[in-house]
PDB file of all heavy atoms in Angstrom:
ATOM      1  N   ALA A  12       6.004   9.354 -16.819  1.00 97.00           N
ATOM      2  CA  ALA A  12       6.360   9.457 -18.159  1.00 97.00           C
ATOM      3  C   ALA A  12       7.679   8.763 -18.477  1.00 97.00           C
ATOM      4  O   ALA A  12       7.818   8.079 -19.458  1.00 97.00           O
ATOM      5  CB  ALA A  12       6.318  10.822 -18.624  1.00 97.00           C
ATOM      6  N   GLU A  20      10.872   1.208 -24.373  1.00 97.00           N
ATOM      7  CA  GLU A  20      12.284   1.367 -24.797  1.00 97.00           C
ATOM      8  C   GLU A  20      12.370   2.514 -25.743  1.00 97.00           C
ATOM      9  O   GLU A  20      13.077   2.354 -26.779  1.00 97.00           O
ATOM     10  CB  GLU A  20      12.812   0.105 -25.459  1.00 97.00           C
ATOM     11  CG  GLU A  20      12.822  -1.029 -24.312  1.00 97.00           C
ATOM     12  CD  GLU A  20      13.736  -2.189 -24.689  1.00 97.00           C
ATOM     13  OE1 GLU A  20      13.780  -2.476 -25.855  1.00 97.00           O
ATOM     14  OE2 GLU A  20      14.169  -2.858 -23.842  1.00 97.00           O
ATOM     15  N   VAL A  42      14.023  12.779  -7.772  1.00 95.00           N
ATOM     16  CA  VAL A  42      14.913  12.325  -8.815  1.00 95.00           C
ATOM     17  C   VAL A  42      15.240  10.813  -8.763  1.00 95.00           C
ATOM     18  O   VAL A  42      15.048  10.014  -9.635  1.00 95.00           O
ATOM     19  CB  VAL A  42      16.196  13.043  -8.827  1.00 95.00           C
ATOM     20  CG1 VAL A  42      17.280  12.431  -9.858  1.00 95.00           C
ATOM     21  CG2 VAL A  42      15.944  14.536  -9.198  1.00 95.00           C
ATOM     22  N   ALA A  43      15.577  10.441  -7.515  1.00 96.00           N
ATOM     23  CA  ALA A  43      15.921   9.089  -7.303  1.00 96.00           C
ATOM     24  C   ALA A  43      14.685   8.081  -7.517  1.00 96.00           C
ATOM     25  O   ALA A  43      14.804   7.080  -8.071  1.00 96.00           O
ATOM     26  CB  ALA A  43      16.353   8.846  -5.771  1.00 96.00           C
ATOM     27  N   GLY A  53      11.583  -0.413 -16.993  1.00 98.00           N
ATOM     28  CA  GLY A  53      12.355  -0.603 -18.180  1.00 98.00           C
ATOM     29  C   GLY A  53      13.139  -1.972 -18.132  1.00 98.00           C
ATOM     30  O   GLY A  53      13.909  -2.251 -18.954  1.00 98.00           O
ATOM     31  N   ASP A  91      17.055  -9.266  -5.587  1.00 97.00           N
ATOM     32  CA  ASP A  91      17.718  -9.933  -4.478  1.00 97.00           C
ATOM     33  C   ASP A  91      18.366  -8.913  -3.586  1.00 97.00           C
ATOM     34  O   ASP A  91      19.614  -9.191  -3.166  1.00 97.00           O
ATOM     35  CB  ASP A  91      18.856 -11.015  -5.045  1.00 97.00           C
ATOM     36  CG  ASP A  91      19.119 -11.984  -3.901  1.00 97.00           C
ATOM     37  OD1 ASP A  91      18.252 -12.105  -3.059  1.00 97.00           O
ATOM     38  OD2 ASP A  91      20.129 -12.648  -4.050  1.00 97.00           O
ATOM     39  N   ASP A  98      10.513  -3.516   3.916  1.00 92.00           N
ATOM     40  CA  ASP A  98       9.502  -4.452   3.712  1.00 92.00           C
ATOM     41  C   ASP A  98       8.472  -4.614   4.804  1.00 92.00           C
ATOM     42  O   ASP A  98       7.324  -4.622   4.558  1.00 92.00           O
ATOM     43  CB  ASP A  98      10.087  -5.885   3.398  1.00 92.00           C
ATOM     44  CG  ASP A  98      10.839  -5.930   2.016  1.00 92.00           C
ATOM     45  OD1 ASP A  98      10.748  -4.909   1.241  1.00 92.00           O
ATOM     46  OD2 ASP A  98      11.532  -6.917   1.899  1.00 92.00           O
ATOM     47  N   THR A 118       2.375  -9.897  -2.023  1.00 98.00           N
ATOM     48  CA  THR A 118       2.240 -11.352  -2.211  1.00 98.00           C
ATOM     49  C   THR A 118       3.186 -11.749  -3.303  1.00 98.00           C
ATOM     50  O   THR A 118       3.902 -12.722  -3.254  1.00 98.00           O
ATOM     51  CB  THR A 118       0.856 -11.743  -2.638  1.00 98.00           C
ATOM     52  OG1 THR A 118      -0.067 -11.410  -1.539  1.00 98.00           O
ATOM     53  CG2 THR A 118       0.740 -13.282  -2.900  1.00 98.00           C
ATOM     54  N   LEU A 123       8.534 -14.141  -5.200  1.00 98.00           N
ATOM     55  CA  LEU A 123       9.940 -14.029  -5.667  1.00 98.00           C
ATOM     56  C   LEU A 123      10.951 -14.320  -4.672  1.00 98.00           C
ATOM     57  O   LEU A 123      11.919 -15.034  -5.005  1.00 98.00           O
ATOM     58  CB  LEU A 123      10.217 -12.522  -6.143  1.00 98.00           C
ATOM     59  CG  LEU A 123       9.349 -12.130  -7.431  1.00 98.00           C
ATOM     60  CD1 LEU A 123       9.418 -10.652  -7.703  1.00 98.00           C
ATOM     61  CD2 LEU A 123       9.830 -12.910  -8.619  1.00 98.00           C
ATOM     62  N   ARG A 124      10.762 -13.980  -3.394  1.00 98.00           N
ATOM     63  CA  ARG A 124      11.574 -14.340  -2.325  1.00 98.00           C
ATOM     64  C   ARG A 124      11.713 -15.795  -2.184  1.00 98.00           C
ATOM     65  O   ARG A 124      12.795 -16.499  -2.063  1.00 98.00           O
ATOM     66  CB  ARG A 124      11.280 -13.671  -1.084  1.00 98.00           C
ATOM     67  CG  ARG A 124      11.345 -12.227  -0.990  1.00 98.00           C
ATOM     68  CD  ARG A 124      12.756 -11.634  -0.948  1.00 98.00           C
ATOM     69  NE  ARG A 124      12.818 -10.136  -0.565  1.00 98.00           N
ATOM     70  CZ  ARG A 124      13.848  -9.432  -0.766  1.00 98.00           C
ATOM     71  NH1 ARG A 124      15.002 -10.060  -1.062  1.00 98.00           N
ATOM     72  NH2 ARG A 124      13.894  -8.170  -0.447  1.00 98.00           N
ATOM     73  N   TYR A 152      -1.345  -4.983 -16.570  1.00 97.00           N
ATOM     74  CA  TYR A 152       0.155  -5.061 -16.625  1.00 97.00           C
ATOM     75  C   TYR A 152       0.721  -5.789 -15.385  1.00 97.00           C
ATOM     76  O   TYR A 152       1.565  -6.685 -15.640  1.00 97.00           O
ATOM     77  CB  TYR A 152       0.689  -3.717 -16.703  1.00 97.00           C
ATOM     78  CG  TYR A 152       2.262  -3.732 -16.785  1.00 97.00           C
ATOM     79  CD1 TYR A 152       2.907  -3.917 -17.959  1.00 97.00           C
ATOM     80  CD2 TYR A 152       3.065  -3.450 -15.582  1.00 97.00           C
ATOM     81  CE1 TYR A 152       4.365  -3.818 -18.035  1.00 97.00           C
ATOM     82  CE2 TYR A 152       4.410  -3.425 -15.622  1.00 97.00           C
ATOM     83  CZ  TYR A 152       5.046  -3.639 -16.856  1.00 97.00           C
ATOM     84  OH  TYR A 152       6.433  -3.777 -16.981  1.00 97.00           O
ATOM     85  N   ALA A 183       2.146 -12.395 -25.808  1.00 98.00           N
ATOM     86  CA  ALA A 183       1.069 -11.814 -26.715  1.00 98.00           C
ATOM     87  C   ALA A 183       0.675 -10.418 -26.098  1.00 98.00           C
ATOM     88  O   ALA A 183       0.419  -9.542 -26.935  1.00 98.00           O
ATOM     89  CB  ALA A 183      -0.201 -12.749 -26.661  1.00 98.00           C
ATOM     90  N   GLU A 186       3.559  -7.884 -26.903  1.00 97.00           N
ATOM     91  CA  GLU A 186       3.593  -7.560 -28.336  1.00 97.00           C
ATOM     92  C   GLU A 186       2.452  -6.507 -28.576  1.00 97.00           C
ATOM     93  O   GLU A 186       2.529  -5.546 -29.187  1.00 97.00           O
ATOM     94  CB  GLU A 186       3.445  -8.722 -29.177  1.00 97.00           C
ATOM     95  CG  GLU A 186       4.728  -9.553 -29.133  1.00 97.00           C
ATOM     96  CD  GLU A 186       4.644 -10.746 -29.922  1.00 97.00           C
ATOM     97  OE1 GLU A 186       3.568 -11.242 -30.209  1.00 97.00           O
ATOM     98  OE2 GLU A 186       5.734 -11.414 -30.087  1.00 97.00           O
ATOM     99  N   ALA A 188       0.777  -4.533 -26.418  1.00 97.00           N
ATOM    100  CA  ALA A 188       0.937  -3.287 -25.661  1.00 97.00           C
ATOM    101  C   ALA A 188       2.189  -2.483 -25.969  1.00 97.00           C
ATOM    102  O   ALA A 188       2.315  -1.377 -25.547  1.00 97.00           O
ATOM    103  CB  ALA A 188       0.846  -3.588 -24.128  1.00 97.00           C
ATOM    104  N   LEU A 197      11.880 -12.008 -21.996  1.00 91.00           N
ATOM    105  CA  LEU A 197      11.240 -13.406 -22.068  1.00 91.00           C
ATOM    106  C   LEU A 197      12.195 -14.453 -22.812  1.00 91.00           C
ATOM    107  O   LEU A 197      12.638 -14.110 -23.952  1.00 91.00           O
ATOM    108  CB  LEU A 197       9.987 -13.288 -22.872  1.00 91.00           C
ATOM    109  CG  LEU A 197       8.862 -12.319 -22.231  1.00 91.00           C
ATOM    110  CD1 LEU A 197       7.579 -12.322 -23.055  1.00 91.00           C
ATOM    111  CD2 LEU A 197       8.521 -12.820 -20.775  1.00 91.00           C
TER     112      LEU A 197
END
Side-chain angles (χ1 to χ4, degrees):
E20 295 196 331
V42 172
D91 200 21
D98 289 352
T118 299
L123 289 169
R124 295 283 190 194
Y152 178 82
E186 291 174 346
L197 302 180

